[in-house]
Amino acid sequence: MAQVRLINTTKKYGRVTAVESINLNIYDKEFLVLVGPSGCGKSTTLRMIAGLEAITEGEIFIGDRRVNEVSPKDRDIAMVFQNYALYPHMNVYRNMAFGLKLRKFSKTEIQQRVQEAAGILGINDLFDRKPKELSGGQRQRVAMGRAIVRKPQVFLFDEPLSNLDAKLRVQMRGELARLHQRLSTTIVYVTHDQIEAMTLANRIVIMNAGTIMQIGAPMEVYKHPKNIFVAGFIGSPTMNFIECRMLLQNGSLGLEGLGKTMVVPKTLQERFAKSKDRQCILGIRPEHIYDRALKEPFPNAEQHTASVEVVEPIGSEVILLMKVGSERLTASVDPQTRAQPSSAIELLIDMNQMHLFDKETGIAY
């Protein structure tokens, strides 16, 4: 079993707490992604699992073994770094074989493992090249190959695609997903890129300020964020947040905001009943705001007039940056929109997709 468990794990640097008492179960053969902004503690968490950072408090288990005092080389893990960490004076074959040679594997076993890993990654024809003769994508494959030959219990990836261009990142994401399916091993992956997290993970761990904000399947986290931080971090463009007040009128809940009182759909009345008479934050994702000229009104659609400030066509959609009264909104609309900067546009906001957060705590209702 390649399960990894962190129990009340804390890392402090003097008076600074980088990771605070986190509890996390990483399942056997799972692809788990740690995601969050810079400085949130995700890389520190990965390095504690690897043994590259000593933990201050708590426990870490890999399989059934407590590894708090176990050195990195004895934890049966393999790590792929952001900067590849290849030996510049060695060719590809020797880079991939070096770790096995240190562990006294036979030449036959080394050759077999290196050939097998190279075959999986399609780099057999690169054996004689040195790192300086490789592209960024090729270097990343070699770094992954060097990890694969180890056949570890757990693979650890620390932002491995951040140095690649956009097109190559997309390609490498696909290769990483196929690699996980083929190897059927446990992968813990750190990134600040939410698209990588959403497309690769079985589960996502969203971190902020050294603590875990939410853990869940990608679409679960996207559809049901537990707080404003998660709602704003997952999703691109980011969710719109609008200050409102929840009112009870004629037995039904209504949201006072954007210059009018918006009706809360019947299906959501019970869920949001506790927010009555409270200041709230309404959350609406950009893809749930429509250009009225291209969309017929539908149940629970609220119509608003907006002033368009910026139009960003990106092919499959157009991003509109707008103002409704004093509130700024972002919408992701059909590319056939005729919206222009400094013009007015009629919008439909899908209240069926609304999120609601407590203004003081940021916690979702």
Side-chain angles (χ1 to χ4, degrees):
M1 291 287 290
Q3 185 179 14
V4 179
R5 287 180 294 148
L6 284 74
I7 302 172
N8 297 322
T9 305
T10 296
K11 177 62 182 180
K12 295 181 180 180
Y13 298 98
R15 296 182 179 180
V16 177
T17 301
V19 175
E20 185 167 14
S21 194
I22 65 171
N23 291 281
L24 179 62
N25 283 335
I26 303 165
Y27 305 128
D28 184 39
K29 300 179 182 178
E30 179 176 32
F31 198 131
L32 183 119
V33 177
L34 302 171
V35 65
S38 297
C40 71
K42 57 189 185 295
S43 288
T44 301
T45 300
L46 194 78
R47 291 174 65 84
M48 286 193 293
I49 296 171
L52 300 175
E53 295 282 357
I55 69 173
T56 307
E57 298 170 14
E59 296 179 295
I60 297 179
F61 288 83
I62 297 177
D64 296 325
R65 184 169 63 145
R66 185 177 181 272
V67 296
N68 286 35
E69 289 81 32
V70 177
S71 68
K73 66 183 180 63
D74 296 323
R75 293 195 180 195
D76 200 10
I77 55 95
M79 192 160 178
V80 179
F81 296 91
Q82 177 181 352
N83 63 356
Y84 319 132
L86 301 177
Y87 300 108
H89 62 288
M90 294 184 184
N91 64 22
V92 167
Y93 183 93
R94 290 176 62 201
N95 261 285
M96 293 176 65
F98 186 67
L100 300 179
K101 187 177 180 182
L102 288 180
R103 288 167 176 77
K104 309 298 184 183
F105 281 81
S106 68
K107 287 186 178 180
T108 302
E109 177 73 3
I110 291 173
Q111 184 175 23
Q112 179 183 339
R113 289 195 180 200
V114 171
Q115 291 282 0
E116 181 183 1
I120 291 171
L121 296 165
I123 55 174
N124 303 74
D125 58 340
L126 303 179
F127 280 158
D128 294 329
R129 297 192 197 178
K130 290 185 177 178
K132 67 181 180 181
E133 301 171 309
L134 304 175
S135 67
Q138 290 169 333
R139 291 179 196 176
Q140 191 54 268
R141 288 185 182 89
V142 174
M144 289 163 56
R146 188 174 57 186
I148 291 169
V149 298
R150 297 267 309 279
K151 297 187 177 178
Q153 286 194 79
V154 182
F155 285 97
L156 306 177
F157 288 86
D158 190 7
E159 305 214 35
L161 308 185
S162 59
N163 289 338
L164 305 180
D165 62 54
K167 182 178 179 181
L168 194 51
R169 279 203 303 274
V170 173
Q171 180 183 336
M172 290 299 294
R173 283 205 307 266
E175 292 190 13
L176 278 166
R178 286 191 292 272
L179 182 65
H180 180 242
Q181 293 169 5
R182 184 162 179 175
L183 297 178
S184 294
T185 191
T186 306
I187 293 179
V188 186
Y189 188 103
V190 161
T191 182
H192 64 275
D193 186 330
Q194 58 165 294
I195 296 176
E196 281 181 34
M198 293 290 289
T199 54
L200 288 171
N202 300 129
R203 287 190 304 154
I204 297 175
V205 178
I206 299 104
M207 297 186 68
N208 185 41
T211 62
I212 293 175
M213 296 282 103
Q214 188 170 348
I215 305 173
M219 290 311 297
E220 175 191 346
V221 169
Y222 178 80
K223 291 181 177 179
H224 305 290
K226 288 186 175 180
N227 53 51
I228 281 183
F229 177 82
V230 174
F233 189 81
I234 298 295
S236 182
T238 190
M239 183 182 285
N240 295 288
F241 296 114
I242 303 154
E243 290 196 21
C244 296
R245 185 174 184 83
M246 187 67 80
L247 307 173
L248 185 64
Q249 295 181 331
N250 302 319
S252 294
L253 292 176
L255 269 177
E256 190 177 65
L258 293 177
K260 62 187 290 190
T261 300
M262 299 173 282
V263 178
V264 176
K266 289 182 179 179
T267 55
L268 299 176
Q269 291 270 332
E270 184 177 347
R271 176 179 162 190
F272 296 144
K274 292 181 180 179
S275 64
K276 182 182 67 173
D277 296 326
R278 301 194 63 156
Q279 291 294 124
C280 305
I281 302 295
L282 169 66
I284 293 289
R285 293 205 179 274
E287 57 267 36
H288 298 141
I289 301 177
Y290 301 92
D291 181 344
R292 171 68 178 83
L294 301 172
K295 183 85 172 178
E296 289 296 320
F298 52 89
N300 301 311
E302 289 284 349
Q303 186 163 333
H304 295 267
T305 301
S307 173
V308 179
E309 295 183 328
V310 179
V311 178
E312 299 179 339
I314 55 175
S316 61
E317 59 189 346
V318 172
I319 308 300
L320 301 180
L321 308 183
M322 306 164 293
K323 285 188 76 173
V324 176
S326 61
E327 296 278 359
R328 280 193 155 81
L329 295 182
T330 301
S332 171
V333 302
D334 190 292
Q336 296 182 54
T337 183
R338 295 185 178 180
Q340 296 294 326
S342 303
S343 66
I345 184 174
E346 293 298 313
L347 303 174
L348 293 176
I349 296 179
D350 188 354
M351 298 297 286
N352 299 297
Q353 305 295 335
M354 66 176 281
H355 299 264
L356 198 65
F357 306 92
D358 185 276
K359 184 179 179 181
E360 292 184 7
T361 67
I363 302 298
Y365 284 103

